[in-house]
Amino acid sequence: MSTCTKVSRDLDEPLAGTAAPARTWLLLEQPGPWGAKALTSSHLDPDLGRTLEKATEGTGVRIALIRRPGRHADCHAVAERQVYAAHTAPGNVWLRSATTSDPEQLLKLDFAALGGGASGTFDTVLDGRPHTGDPLALVCTNGKRDRCCALLGRPLAAELAASGVDGAWEVTHLGGHRFSPTFLVLPFGYAYGRAEAPAVKEILQGVREGRVVTEGCRGSSAWERPGQAAELAVRTATGEEAADTLTVVRTDGTAPRWDVTVAHTDGRIWRVTVAQGASLPPRQESCGSALGSPARMDVLAVRELARPAAASLVAR
């Protein structure tokens, strides 16, 4: 059987620069079935889903539904739901946790503040607290969006849960169906594709140790796609593994070419040239879609700058 995932893998389509951008993730537990647009086609009140979608537009907050791996009872009434919020920008990375019996409480959140990295609104409205458990491994499993997410994602999520990964959740949508199984790790916000359970466990161990595993990485959701590719290229060039050390401080240019400035906490600066190309030959971006040429981010050059030039560039 030919699927978008098989074709993408066979053509060795690059993963870097394909993560869904989101400075802040807001996750609401919703058991039961999910439709293609899960916020308005699940057992969550569709009016609430539409209002939340609209309220988060342009704020830097990306909202998604989550559920525990396994069989999903078709339950309409949920006594208590888990809620998470995570900010992924280096220098202000955090993951907060709460529970609620009334998901409409989320409408009281200050989404602009949440997207800007302030956790106070989450704590005040939902009695949030720092998450102290394992890092979260959010596996995309929504087969109504793409069959690959169900066929490949759900077994991965189930395997992780069965092996004792407490932070394993199914999530509604991470983008990039053709890279299934895809997953996101929080709090750092790095997305991965074509994942297998042993690799996921290695990645989660890295998160516990404050490290980023670059193998299979699609990029950090903290950045737009040129920045994702640039940051990963700097990590590859330097061997830097520490999670909270690199920041995309500038992106100059417009598609199809950018110069991205990446800064290290130790003062080093790199200028990374990224070009947008088309993935050829044409392929499906999702099962059932027409043939197309998905955009890819190609790193053309990584250049470390001398300190005076670096300081001038960052100050501009």
Side-chain angles (χ1 to χ4, degrees):
M1 177 178 66
S2 179
T3 63
C4 64
T5 296
K6 183 179 186 305
V7 172
S8 177
R9 188 187 293 268
D10 288 347
L11 294 174
D12 197 25
E13 185 177 349
L15 293 167
T18 66
R23 286 293 185 100
T24 301
W25 290 84
L26 180 62
L27 308 170
L28 173 64
E29 184 178 5
Q30 178 57 61
W34 296 334
K37 296 183 178 180
L39 279 172
T40 55
S41 54
S42 69
H43 290 330
L44 183 71
D45 181 351
D47 289 335
L48 173 60
R50 276 188 288 271
T51 304
L52 286 170
E53 283 183 325
K54 186 169 183 177
T56 55
E57 285 179 2
T59 64
V61 176
R62 185 179 178 99
I63 185 168
L65 302 181
I66 57 174
R67 63 191 178 195
R68 284 296 188 183
R71 295 179 62 84
H72 305 298
D74 192 10
C75 55
H76 291 254
V78 182
E80 192 170 65
R81 304 165 190 259
Q82 182 68 50
V83 188
Y84 294 106
H87 191 66
T88 62
N92 186 30
V93 172
W94 49 259
L95 174 59
R96 316 290 288 187
S97 173
T99 57
T100 183
S101 58
D102 179 11
E104 291 201 1
Q105 281 189 297
L106 273 65
L107 295 176
K108 300 177 182 177
L109 293 169
D110 182 337
F111 293 107
L114 201 62
S119 62
T121 180
F122 185 83
D123 295 347
T124 300
V125 171
L126 296 169
D127 193 25
R129 55 202 178 277
H131 175 70
T132 57
D134 283 349
L136 304 187
L138 305 163
V139 183
C140 187
T141 64
N142 191 350
K144 293 297 185 181
R145 290 193 72 98
D146 191 282
R147 60 180 175 175
C148 289
C149 296
L151 292 173
L152 301 173
R154 292 195 66 186
L156 174 62
E159 184 176 352
L160 292 174
S163 65
V165 177
D166 290 337
W169 291 87
E170 298 184 8
V171 67
T172 48
H173 185 48
L174 297 177
H177 313 299
R178 63 193 184 279
F179 305 124
S180 296
T182 65
F183 76 100
L184 176 79
V185 290
L186 293 176
F188 294 127
Y190 286 85
Y192 293 83
R194 302 177 186 139
E196 297 180 355
V200 175
K201 292 177 183 179
E202 179 185 346
I203 290 163
L204 292 175
Q205 183 58 35
V207 174
R208 295 183 191 97
E209 298 170 0
R211 294 185 295 107
V212 175
V213 174
T214 58
E215 182 70 25
C217 191
R218 299 174 60 195
S220 167
S221 67
W223 318 123
E224 295 297 324
R225 289 175 178 174
Q228 295 172 16
E231 190 232 22
L232 286 176
V234 171
R235 289 191 178 278
T236 299
T238 63
E240 178 60 75
E241 293 184 324
D244 214 20
T245 56
L246 295 178
T247 299
V248 174
V249 294
R250 288 176 62 92
T251 300
D252 298 305
T254 57
R257 188 183 177 100
W258 301 266
D259 286 315
V260 182
T261 305
V262 179
H264 195 291
T265 51
D266 66 8
R268 286 179 292 165
I269 302 283
W270 294 265
R271 192 77 176 267
V272 184
T273 302
V274 180
Q276 178 177 301
S279 297
L280 297 173
R283 79 288 309 272
Q284 291 179 314
E285 291 193 50
S286 182
C287 289
S289 68
L291 293 180
S293 300
R296 54 183 284 168
M297 295 293 154
D298 295 316
V299 173
L300 304 183
V302 179
R303 181 167 63 96
E304 185 174 354
L305 303 180
R307 296 298 172 98
S312 173
L313 183 63
V314 172
R316 268 196 260 155

